[in-house]
Amino acid sequence: MNDITPQQEILYRTVAIYVAEGVVGIILFLVFFYFSRIYQRRFLANWALSWIALAIFAFSSAWITFSGIPDSSGTVRFMVSLVSIFGCFSHVALVLLGSFELALNRVAKRNQLLFYAALILLLSFCITLFKNETDGAGMIRYLVRIGVKNLVVAIGFFVAGWLIFFSPQFTRGLGQKFLAGSFLLLGLV
């Protein structure tokens, strides 16, 4: 007999998708990190870090989903939500940073990186606080939690694809078109 309800099946499938996304993030981190070491390109290292940020987002989202949607209070849940949103926004910021470094042929300074990290942490904190402190506003929380994150990711990847596609640093080869097209598609999805 199958004792799993349809709601539980959806929950388990959602968690499995997040875990698979996290595993793919770790694999892509290893690939980009390897190439950043071989070719000594900083933008590849930033892209590698972006995929670790995606893995952090995915694994923390899997935990949030598995721990139960109705239980949205508590310090642990708040901290995991903060880490999740920070990972999501960091993923996009690091992809954009690497794309700018590639397009401008310049390496970002450490002060800039710290400023962006602080800004992302502040934005993540505000969204997490709003999400947890607004009682009775489920649809608004959903819009902020899911809508804003997806909008930021879409815009970020679309801009990164645009930068790479029109970058004078590349020749107009198949690799550039494939990479730019992948980023543009991620922005549209």
Side-chain angles (χ1 to χ4, degrees):
M1 250 326 171
N2 191 359
D3 294 340
I4 297 176
T5 66
Q7 290 82 12
Q8 288 174 325
E9 183 177 348
I10 291 170
L11 177 79
Y12 294 148
R13 286 182 183 204
T14 303
V15 169
I17 289 169
Y18 280 133
V19 169
E21 189 175 0
V23 169
V24 168
I26 290 172
I27 291 169
L28 287 173
F29 162 75
L30 293 172
V31 168
F32 277 104
F33 185 75
Y34 175 75
F35 284 122
S36 74
R37 291 294 181 198
I38 288 177
Y39 297 114
Q40 298 296 310
R41 301 284 189 236
R42 178 62 189 242
F43 73 92
L44 290 173
N46 285 330
W47 284 349
L49 291 174
S50 79
W51 291 108
I52 276 295
L54 177 77
I56 290 169
F57 160 72
F59 289 134
S60 57
S61 294
W63 184 86
I64 290 168
T65 303
F66 192 74
S67 68
I69 305 278
D71 182 27
S72 64
S73 62
T75 306
V76 173
R77 174 67 185 261
F78 180 84
M79 293 306 292
V80 174
S81 293
L82 179 64
V83 167
S84 174
I85 293 172
F86 182 76
C88 178
F89 290 157
S90 294
H91 174 58
V92 174
L94 288 165
V95 166
L96 279 173
L97 181 65
S99 299
F100 276 114
E101 287 178 342
L102 176 64
L104 301 176
N105 203 19
R106 260 189 354 212
V107 176
K109 296 178 183 169
R110 177 165 275 162
N111 291 343
Q112 289 175 314
L113 295 174
L114 292 175
F115 174 75
Y116 294 141
L119 189 65
I120 292 168
L121 185 60
L122 179 66
L123 177 65
S124 301
F125 182 79
C126 290
I127 288 176
T128 305
L129 188 64
F130 175 77
K131 180 178 74 93
N132 282 350
E133 294 299 322
T134 310
D135 292 329
M139 197 55 135
I140 293 173
R141 279 197 313 263
Y142 181 80
L143 177 67
V144 168
R145 184 174 48 114
I146 303 297
V148 171
K149 281 196 302 189
N150 288 341
L151 179 66
V152 167
V153 169
I155 291 171
F157 275 105
F158 193 78
V159 169
W162 190 267
L163 279 170
I164 291 170
F165 192 76
F166 292 108
S167 172
Q169 301 299 323
F170 272 111
T171 60
R172 297 287 172 205
L174 181 63
Q176 177 189 5
K177 290 177 183 175
F178 183 69
L179 180 64
S182 298
F183 280 167
L184 288 170
L185 283 175
L186 276 170
L188 293 175
V189 175

